[in-house]
Amino acid sequence: IILQGSAGVGKTYAAKRLAYSIIGEKDKERVEMIQFHQSYSYEDFIMGYRPNENGFELKEGIFYKLCKEAEEDGGNKYFLIIDEINRGNISKIFGELFMLIENDKRGEEEALELIYTNEKFSVPENLYIIGLMNTADRSLAMLDYALRRRFAFYDMKPAFDSEQFEEYKNKLNNKRFNSLIEKIK
């Protein structure tokens, strides 16, 4: 799923609460959060060579590690929350593994060979991805069709008209705050 909306509507909060509610407890070990950006790459996300004091070493990325943890703990659900999912170059970041995040391509029978190790790799069925996207970012409005067809999109809007917000606003009884809310609306 991708939660999309303007900044401050609670996408991150909702994503974490959704993950914890599906898990059944607040288990931070099974929920990871990262943020994509223009320089984020396959080497950061899956695996790649990184410099060290002796030259280079092969380092595992967050997605690789989380997939392995979920695979070893098949009875439990794991979540990867990707903030600013639309800011990264999805094809570059996921590489050959992009098709493996589809529901019908999960599990060992769909495994593909990783480019750095020739290891057979698959995305386990108990790993879920929640993407977060700021719709106010017009420069990145065009999303890869491949991304669009792999995720369900849910629009989140400011809750200025909700009962809870009205109660909060009335308790404050602040003319400047009320004026600000009307301008934002």
Side-chain angles (χ1 to χ4, degrees), residues 69-86:
E69 285 176 35
E71 188 175 68
E72 290 171 15
D73 188 14
N76 287 310
K77 293 178 164 98
Y78 284 73
F79 286 84
L80 177 62
I81 300 171
I82 304 173
D83 192 20
E84 303 286 355
I85 194 167
N86 57 320

Side-chain angles (χ1 to χ4, degrees), residues 148-170:
R148 287 204 173 272
R149 69 180 193 84
R150 285 175 172 88
F151 287 87
F153 287 75
Y154 181 79
D155 290 321
M156 294 185 68
K157 297 185 181 345
F160 292 134
D161 297 323
S162 72
E163 216 175 287
Q164 295 90 346
F165 188 78
E166 281 298 320
E167 286 176 26
Y168 174 74
K169 193 170 85 168
N170 291 338

Side-chain angles (χ1 to χ4, degrees), residues 17-138:
R17 294 309 169 272
L18 177 62
Y20 294 143
S21 69
I22 292 171
I23 288 173
E25 62 181 316
K26 188 175 181 178
D27 186 348
K28 293 181 180 181
E29 298 296 313
R30 291 191 277 153
V31 177
E32 291 285 344
M33 185 163 182
I34 59 169
Q35 186 177 65
F36 280 1
H37 51 79
Q38 290 86 352
S39 299
Y40 203 78
S41 69
Y42 180 93
E43 289 75 15
D44 300 313
F45 194 58
I46 311 294
M47 70 172 49
Y49 285 99
R50 294 285 176 233
N52 66 15
E53 59 279 346
N54 301 320
F56 290 90
E57 67 179 311
L58 190 59
K59 289 272 193 172
E60 299 168 347
I62 190 167
F63 187 67
Y64 179 90
K65 289 178 190 174
L66 194 59
C67 283
K68 290 300 180 183
E69 285 176 35
E71 188 175 68
E72 290 171 15
D73 188 14
N76 287 310
K77 293 178 164 98
Y78 284 73
F79 286 84
L80 177 62
I81 300 171
I82 304 173
D83 192 20
E84 303 286 355
I85 194 167
N86 57 320
R87 288 185 150 268
N89 179 336
I90 298 298
S91 299
K92 176 182 163 191
I93 294 169
F94 278 92
E96 76 278 12
L97 304 180
F98 198 40
M99 74 176 214
L100 297 184
I101 65 173
E102 293 180 38
N103 286 337
D104 63 341
K105 303 277 191 303
R106 299 287 182 105
E108 291 179 26
E109 60 279 350
E110 298 290 337
L112 293 176
E113 219 172 79
L114 293 177
I115 59 174
Y116 283 101
T117 61
N118 297 330
E119 168 193 351
K120 287 286 194 179
F121 181 83
S122 62
V123 178
E125 293 181 26
N126 60 328
L127 176 68
Y128 301 90
I129 300 172
I130 301 174
L132 308 178
M133 191 170 85
N134 187 345
T135 53
D137 191 350
R138 295 290 174 217

